[in-house]
Amino acid sequence: PRMESCGICKEKRQKCTKKILNEIDPSQRQACVDSLCFEAEARIRDPVYGCVGIIRCLQRRLQHLQLSLNIAQRELAMIKHGQNYPHLSVRPRL
């Protein structure tokens, strides 16, 4: 039997949540519900960007952290090779 879309889904031209949940594996349903709820809450907080805005923010944060990590690794390598202490004749022990 074919399930009818609700009024909201017809207006938005989207699948009903019930249809989505019926189409996925039962073991994945809770994760799907959690994801749908997160997306809906993100859309309420930011009607323009929704969860895409959150994703962009997290991507920028990740890029910043990767850059900071790269800088720290370069500084550590310089310290290990004594390049940060050119005025010392003996390398410091770490």
Side-chain angles (χ1 to χ4, degrees):
R2 190 165 182 263
M3 192 157 82
E4 277 298 311
S5 295
C6 66
I8 294 171
C9 292
K10 283 181 183 178
E11 182 180 320
K12 291 186 173 187
R13 296 187 178 137
Q14 295 177 343
K15 288 185 176 183
C16 277
T17 303
K18 288 180 183 179
K19 283 185 183 179
I20 292 171
L21 292 176
N22 286 333
E23 291 176 1
I24 63 170
D25 186 75
S27 66
Q28 296 295 312
R29 285 187 183 153
Q30 185 59 51
C32 181
V33 168
D34 293 343
S35 179
L36 290 169
C37 289
F38 179 82
E39 186 177 344
E41 289 171 3
R43 183 63 64 184
I44 289 169
R45 280 187 252 117
D46 185 350
V48 176
Y49 293 105
C51 58
V52 173
I54 295 170
I55 292 168
R56 286 182 181 170
C57 179
L58 290 172
Q59 285 174 332
R60 284 192 302 270
R61 191 168 162 194
L62 179 61
Q63 288 171 343
H64 175 74
L65 290 171
Q66 286 173 329
L67 178 63
S68 296
L69 178 61
N70 289 341
I71 290 169
Q73 287 173 330
R74 276 191 249 127
E75 289 175 352
L76 181 60
M78 288 172 57
I79 291 170
K80 282 182 178 180
H81 293 97
Q83 294 175 5
N84 237 8
Y85 303 94
H87 60 284
L88 299 176
S89 59
V90 179
R91 288 191 302 191
R93 290 185 182 192
L94 297 177

